């Protein structure tokens, strides 16, 4: 694969294209030790818990959940296959002559979300239309085209060399896209040569090579995109012996090629009323719809003379829908000021009797206005607020309106092929959904048995306590469970400004310009972002950055110390050798022991040996909480327990609730625990902890 990509890059360079290299990134910290509380109990070589005990119930539930998860992955594949089978069925129905409105009438039988149902139907329309075109995903066609030099830097030899580099893979390498422009200095001889590709003139190439201005590449497309290299008369004479498709006309309209050229081009299209596929997944039915989307009124009128008029299907979409969804607007669908070309098109369509589909404006912004949207097109609609834009509202409100629910819906299955297929599909999806619900039920049973609450419930509890208790709420959280305090700190961290600006100091660090970074830290207080950036570099390369860290004129604490948990003992030792002060705390006063406990017992012993203080009275979880949770997670007494007991002077209710958990699920582990410290024996009726710690 590496050889393949290297070859492609070489060929692209020869073709005068620039492959943009991904920027080099800083070394990524690789955790050598998994977080102790991230594992499941290891029951290998242990006797199985007795039938009916809490541990046996939990063990059996976890086994069933693992099986369910494996099955759910297969279910996801099955659902995708069912959706694809629906698209394939729609294609077969379209080929039989079943109309789009007819297929839409059966949407309710599928119980698929209406927009998704329509999306599948649009996919089928595009697929069916593509099957009528000559589309290739091989580069071999390009290699033999005359006039390929119309693409900047391309020659037949270079494409053949590219194919040779691809080896057996003659099709698009996955994930690779190369956007190519036209050659602005192309010679007319090259363009005339494109017309000589008699057998492949409208063969469309869809590969990783993407042509700017068109979804596909063909000799016909290349010629049309270069129309401005000819006078209108020259262009008309040049194409007089060639036949084009509506796709070249659509591409010309999209690229704002003057109408004189388009009118000449239309004379060379045998089926002018065919459906164009000028964009991926576009479902505009004819050339008039395309012209409306570009507000090309003269072209709409010319097409009308040829019998091609904008679509007008109530319940599906109309030409007026196409115009309105194509109007310039802001992100909240509010219209920008309209130009003359916009109003001229809208007025023309209205005069021709076209109406537009609407949504419920009161549901959209709960104010006086009108909301135009077609469920079938479902691009951006347009919302006109009567209070903010009275002039636009006065213009649009009188427009004739069509409810999106105009198409009748089949509510009971009939004997049609569509109904039978959709009913069968619904049942298959229902069976899969029942299996998914069974998995969710097992998870609920596990949580109830373990008496553990979800992360979402933890966050909700934090916010409820804050609302009820005001300034003292953190201490209320501490009494309920110190884990909740850590959840609160996580909320605060997510609310902080996520400053990604690159200051001069950050650039000095990235470039490892130690002297300038050192001078900067001596002269200016670092921002929180600069402090956190320096801290990250320091942890990776202590000896290089310790002087800058220690020279800060205003030594702010880092936002958090979580990165330390990812490092093995050797990296902590390097930090000590460099002179790092492990008595550091973060912005919330958390010390390094929580991170050490998440790393390894050796790191905790290292801190104890170096007499690093631990404040067991602080808010949030302490090392004993973590050691007790690790004991429950692993199903055996954590070697962290004796070390934690050295550091924690006072046994708190949160410690006892975790000891009670061990007593319930692992009585033998509990007995080992209270032998180490009888004070950890919980009173009868002590509740188990409902929340567990994640190193947030």
């Amino acid at each position: 694969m590496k050889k393949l990509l290297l070859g492609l890059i070489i060929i692209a360079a020869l073709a005068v294209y620039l492959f943009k290299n991904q920027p080099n990134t800083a070394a990524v910290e690789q955790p050598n030790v998994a977080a102790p509380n991230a594992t499941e109990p290891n029951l290998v070589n242990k006797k199985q818990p007795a039938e009916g005990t809490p541990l046996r119930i939990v063990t059996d539930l976890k086994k069933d959940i693992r099986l369910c998860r494996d099955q759910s992955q297969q279910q996801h594949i099955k659902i995708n296959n069912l959706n694809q089978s629906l698209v394939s069925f729609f294609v077969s129905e379209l080929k039989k002559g079943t109309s789009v409105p007819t297929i839409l009438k059966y949407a309710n039988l599928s119980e698929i979300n209406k927009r998704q149902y329509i999306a599948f139907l649009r996919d089928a329309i595009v697929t069916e239309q593509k099957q009528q075109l000559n589309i290739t995903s091989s580069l071999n066609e390009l290699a033999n085209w005359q006039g390929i030099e119309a693409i900047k830097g391309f020659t037949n030899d270079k494409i053949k060399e590219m194919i040779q580099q691809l080896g057996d893979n003659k099709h698009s390498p996955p994930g690779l896209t190369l956007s190519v422009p036209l050659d602005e200095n192309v010679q007319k001889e090259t363009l005339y040569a494109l017309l000589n590709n008699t057998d492949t003139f409208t063969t469309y190439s869809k590969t990783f090579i993407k042509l700017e201005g068109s979804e596909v590449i063909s000799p016909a497309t290349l010629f049309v995109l270069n129309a401005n290299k000819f006078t209108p008369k020259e262009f008309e004479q040049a194409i007089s012996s060639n036949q084009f498709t509506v796709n070249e006309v659509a591409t010309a309209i999209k690229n704002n090629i003057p109408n004189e050229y388009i009118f000449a081009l239309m004379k060379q299209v045998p089926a002018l009323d065919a459906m164009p596929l000028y964009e991926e997944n576009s479902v505009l039915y004819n050339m008039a719809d395309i012209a409306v989307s570009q507000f090309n009124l003269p072209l709409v009128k010319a097409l009308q003379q040829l019998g091609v008029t904008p679509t007008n299907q109530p319940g599906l979409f109309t030409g007026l829908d196409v115009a309105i969804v194509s109007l310039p607007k802001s992100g909240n669908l509010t219209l920008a000021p309209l130009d003359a070309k916009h109003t001229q098109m809208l007025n023309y369509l209205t005069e021709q009797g076209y109406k537009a589909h609407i949504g419920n404006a009161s549901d959209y912004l709960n104010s006086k206005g009108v909301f135009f949207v077609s469920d079938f097109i479902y691009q951006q609609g347009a919302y006109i607020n009567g209070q903010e834009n009275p002039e636009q509202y006065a213009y649009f409100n009188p427009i004739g309106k069509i409810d999106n629910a105009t198409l009748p819906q089949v509510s009971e299955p009939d004997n049609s092929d569509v109904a039978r297929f959709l009913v069968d599909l619904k049942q298959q999806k229902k069976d899969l959904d029942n299996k998914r619900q069974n998995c969710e039920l097992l998870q609920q049973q596990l949580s109830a048995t373990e008496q553990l609450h979800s992360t979402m419930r933890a966050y909700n509890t934090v916010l409820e306590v804050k609302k009820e208790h005001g300034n003292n709420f953190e201490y209320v959280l501490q009494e309920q469970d110190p884990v909740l305090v850590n959840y609160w700190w996580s909320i605060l961290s997510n609310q902080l400004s996520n400053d990604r600006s690159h200051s001069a100091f950050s650039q000095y660090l990235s470039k490892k310009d130690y002297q300038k970074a050192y001078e900067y830290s001596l002269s200016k207080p670092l921002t929180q972002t600069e402090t956190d950036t320096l801290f990250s570099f320091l942890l990776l390369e202590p000896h290089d950055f310790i002087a800058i860290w220690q020279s800060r004129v205003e030594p702010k604490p880092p936002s958090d110390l979580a990165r330390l948990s990812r490092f093995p003992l050797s990296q902590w030792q390097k930090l000590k050798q460099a002179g790092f002060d492990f008595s550091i705390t973060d912005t919330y006063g958390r010390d390094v022991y929580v991170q050490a406990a998440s790393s390894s017992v050796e790191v905790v012993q290292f801190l104890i040996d170096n007499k690093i203080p631990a404040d067991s009275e602080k808010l949030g979880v302490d090392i004993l909480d973590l050691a007790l949770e690790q004991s429950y997670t692993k199903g055996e007494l954590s070697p962290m327990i004796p070390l934690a007991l050295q550091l924690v002077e006072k046994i708190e209710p949160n410690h006892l609730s975790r000891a009670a958990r061990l007593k319930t699920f692992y009585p033998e582990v509990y007995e080992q625990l209270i032998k180490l410290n009888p004070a950890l024996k919980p009173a009868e009726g002590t509740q188990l902890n409902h929340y567990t710690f994640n190193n947030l």
Side-chain angles (χ1 to χ4, degrees):
M1 188 63 191
K2 290 181 179 178
K3 180 179 179 182
L4 168 60
L5 291 177
L6 179 60
L8 288 172
I9 292 172
I10 293 171
I11 297 302
L14 291 172
V16 201
Y17 295 112
L18 176 62
F19 273 100
K20 294 183 178 179
N21 292 322
Q22 294 294 326
N24 292 327
T25 54
V28 178
E29 303 150 10
Q30 297 293 334
N32 286 33
V33 182
N37 60 351
T39 59
E40 291 189 3
N42 180 13
L43 299 178
V44 179
N45 297 327
K46 295 182 181 179
K47 66 178 182 179
Q48 287 295 313
E51 192 76 33
T53 61
L55 180 57
R56 179 62 179 267
I57 295 171
V58 167
T59 302
D60 290 345
L61 281 170
K62 286 186 175 181
K63 179 181 178 182
D64 291 341
I65 288 171
R66 281 194 297 271
L67 291 173
C68 249
R69 286 174 180 168
D70 292 340
Q71 292 173 1
S72 68
Q73 292 178 355
Q74 295 300 317
Q75 288 172 17
H76 179 71
I77 295 172
K78 290 177 181 178
I79 289 174
N80 285 339
N81 290 339
L82 287 176
N83 290 338
Q84 189 54 51
S85 73
L86 179 60
V87 174
S88 299
F89 173 75
F90 285 159
V91 170
S92 66
E93 285 297 306
L94 292 169
K95 286 183 176 180
K96 284 165 50 178
T98 307
S99 71
V100 170
T102 297
I103 296 174
L104 281 176
K105 286 194 298 187
Y106 289 91
N108 287 348
L109 294 184
S110 70
E111 293 187 3
I112 298 173
N113 175 278
K114 186 178 179 183
R115 287 176 181 167
Q116 189 178 28
Y117 185 92
I118 290 173
F120 290 145
L121 180 51
R122 285 201 304 263
D123 288 345
I125 294 169
V126 172
T127 299
E128 197 267 339
Q129 287 297 120
K130 283 182 176 179
Q131 291 175 0
Q132 301 178 32
L133 300 173
N134 190 2
I135 299 175
T136 178
S137 59
S138 172
L139 291 175
N140 287 326
E141 294 284 357
L142 278 73
N144 296 316
W145 282 349
Q146 299 180 55
I148 194 63
E149 293 83 2
I151 302 175
K152 189 175 180 181
F154 267 40
T155 65
N156 299 107
D157 289 340
K158 287 175 181 176
I159 296 176
K160 289 175 182 177
E161 191 173 348
M162 187 181 293
I163 293 172
Q164 186 177 8
Q165 291 290 338
L166 286 170
D168 292 334
N169 184 6
K170 297 294 190 298
H171 300 279
S172 302
L176 181 63
T177 299
L178 180 61
S179 181
V180 297
L182 295 171
D183 186 352
E184 295 177 356
N185 301 314
V186 64
Q187 300 298 309
K188 282 188 178 180
E189 290 78 6
T190 298
L191 299 179
Y192 282 119
L194 288 166
L195 300 172
N196 296 329
N197 293 285
T198 308
D199 296 334
T200 57
F201 190 60
T202 53
T203 295
Y204 300 100
S205 172
K206 282 186 69 69
T207 68
F208 62 91
I209 300 173
K210 303 298 182 184
L211 180 64
E212 294 177 4
S214 176
E215 290 289 331
V216 296
I217 303 175
S218 71
T221 304
L222 289 172
F223 191 85
V224 168
L225 287 173
N226 281 286
N228 63 342
K229 302 297 191 300
F230 302 90
T231 66
K233 189 65 175 176
E234 287 176 331
F235 182 78
E236 184 174 9
Q237 291 175 345
I239 64 174
S240 61
S241 299
N242 291 77
Q243 285 191 351
F244 294 78
T245 74
V246 289
N247 296 289
E248 284 79 60
V249 181
T251 299
I253 299 171
K254 178 184 175 184
N255 286 275
N256 297 312
I257 291 174
N259 280 347
E260 301 99 303
Y261 297 91
I262 295 176
F263 293 151
L265 186 60
M266 285 161 47
K267 296 176 183 178
Q268 305 304 121
V269 178
L272 201 57
D273 59 346
M275 178 181 166
L277 290 174
Y278 79 113
E279 285 185 347
E280 190 70 30
N281 300 324
S282 171
V283 182
L284 295 180
Y285 278 167
N286 57 43
M287 293 311 341
D289 292 334
I290 305 294
V292 167
S293 73
Q294 300 298 313
F295 299 96
N296 191 334
L297 184 54
L299 183 55
V300 171
K301 292 180 177 179
L303 285 165
Q304 185 177 24
Q305 295 297 317
L306 297 170
V308 182
T309 59
T311 298
N312 193 16
Q313 293 198 37
L316 195 61
F317 74 95
T318 73
L320 195 52
D321 290 326
V322 175
I324 291 175
V325 300
S326 302
L327 290 169
K329 57 186 73 70
S330 62
N332 64 357
L333 308 187
T334 302
L335 291 181
L338 302 183
D339 292 337
K341 70 175 183 178
H342 301 133
T343 55
Q344 288 170 5
M345 179 65 76
L346 293 168
N347 292 341
Y348 173 79
L349 292 170
T350 303
E351 291 166 2
Q352 294 290 310
Y354 286 85
K355 297 180 181 181
H357 290 82
I358 60 166
N360 192 329
S362 61
D363 288 345
Y364 183 61
L365 287 179
N366 196 25
S367 60
K368 178 183 176 183
V370 58
F371 179 37
F372 292 101
V373 62
S374 164
D375 285 346
F376 186 81
I377 298 178
Y378 200 63
Q379 300 168 22
Q380 283 191 343
Y383 176 74
I384 298 94
N385 188 307
Q387 296 172 339
E388 296 178 4
N389 297 293
E391 291 184 6
Q392 285 190 352
Y393 180 77
Y395 177 82
F396 280 96
N397 193 46
I399 286 177
K401 301 173 181 66
I402 305 171
D403 193 304
N404 274 289
T406 297
L407 280 176
Q409 286 291 309
V410 176
S411 56
E412 294 294 332
D414 53 30
N415 290 324
S416 68
D417 291 342
V418 177
R420 287 197 296 269
F421 185 90
L422 292 177
V423 169
D424 181 62
L425 182 74
K426 181 175 67 174
Q427 185 59 49
Q428 291 184 64
K429 286 194 171 185
K430 185 177 180 180
D431 292 342
L432 291 173
D433 190 56
N434 287 339
K435 292 179 180 179
R436 178 189 59 79
Q437 291 179 2
N438 289 338
C439 289
E440 291 177 355
L441 183 61
L442 287 173
Q443 186 61 54
Q444 292 171 10
Q445 291 173 353
L446 176 62
S447 297
T449 304
E450 290 189 293
Q451 299 182 42
L452 289 174
H453 295 164
S454 67
T455 301
M456 181 60 70
R457 184 166 175 179
Y459 280 118
N460 289 338
T461 300
V462 169
L463 296 176
E464 289 168 4
V465 170
K466 180 179 184 298
K467 182 178 180 180
E468 182 178 351
H469 294 277
N471 293 336
N472 295 321
F473 81 96
E474 287 186 347
Y475 294 95
V476 177
L477 292 176
Q478 182 76 12
E479 289 178 6
Q480 289 191 20
D481 195 321
V483 170
L484 294 174
V485 179
N486 287 78
Y487 276 105
W488 167 241
W489 288 334
S490 176
I491 292 173
L492 287 180
S493 296
N494 290 332
Q495 290 175 346
L496 293 176
S497 173
N498 196 14
D499 182 10
R500 289 288 183 264
S501 58
H502 294 285
S503 67
F505 179 73
S506 298
Q507 291 179 13
Y508 296 152
L509 295 177
S510 298
K511 295 177 181 178
K512 297 190 176 182
D513 194 335
Y514 306 122
Q515 184 60 36
K516 287 185 179 178
Y518 177 77
E519 292 171 357
Y520 188 105
S521 66
L522 280 174
S523 59
K524 297 179 182 178
L526 301 184
T527 66
Q528 189 62 58
T529 299
E530 290 171 337
T531 300
D532 293 340
T533 302
L534 175 58
F535 186 63
S536 298
F537 277 95
L538 170 68
L539 296 184
L540 289 170
E541 302 178 59
H543 290 281
D544 292 334
F545 292 96
I546 190 66
I548 304 170
W549 178 259
Q550 293 175 339
S551 68
R552 290 171 298 152
V553 65
E554 185 181 296
K556 283 188 179 73
S559 296
D560 64 66
L561 306 173
R563 289 182 182 85
L564 281 165
S565 66
R566 306 172 191 173
F567 293 119
L569 175 62
S570 59
Q571 194 67 12
W572 292 68
Q573 291 170 332
K574 287 181 182 178
L575 284 163
K576 178 181 182 298
Q577 292 168 3
F580 180 73
D581 182 4
F582 284 107
S583 63
I584 187 175
T585 58
D586 66 14
T587 52
Y588 303 112
R590 294 173 287 193
D591 61 33
V592 296
Y593 273 100
V594 168
Q595 309 308 327
S598 297
S599 176
S600 69
V601 65
E602 290 80 14
V603 172
V604 175
Q605 185 64 60
F606 165 79
L607 294 176
I608 293 174
D609 293 344
N610 284 278
K611 298 181 173 51
I612 304 302
D615 183 4
S616 60
E617 300 295 321
K618 63 181 173 59
L619 292 174
V621 297
D622 59 30
I623 189 171
L624 184 53
D625 289 314
L626 294 185
L628 290 166
E629 287 196 7
Q630 290 170 14
S631 299
Y632 174 72
T633 304
K634 289 188 171 183
E636 58 188 24
L637 195 68
S638 169
M640 204 84 68
I641 292 286
L643 301 181
L645 291 173
Q646 295 180 40
L647 298 166
V648 177
E649 299 175 357
K650 179 183 176 183
I651 302 301
E652 300 171 348
N654 43 286
H655 301 139
L656 295 173
S657 68
R658 285 162 171 78
R661 174 171 293 282
L662 289 172
K663 182 179 181 180
T664 300
F665 292 97
Y666 295 102
E668 294 179 1
V669 176
Y670 166 75
E671 292 297 333
Q672 297 173 32
L673 175 69
I674 59 173
K675 283 181 182 178
L676 290 175
N677 190 334
L680 282 168
K681 184 175 183 180
E684 196 68 32
T686 297
Q687 286 194 356
L688 279 60
N689 60 301
H690 298 312
Y691 305 100
T692 56
F693 176 74
N694 288 318
N695 201 352
L696 304 168

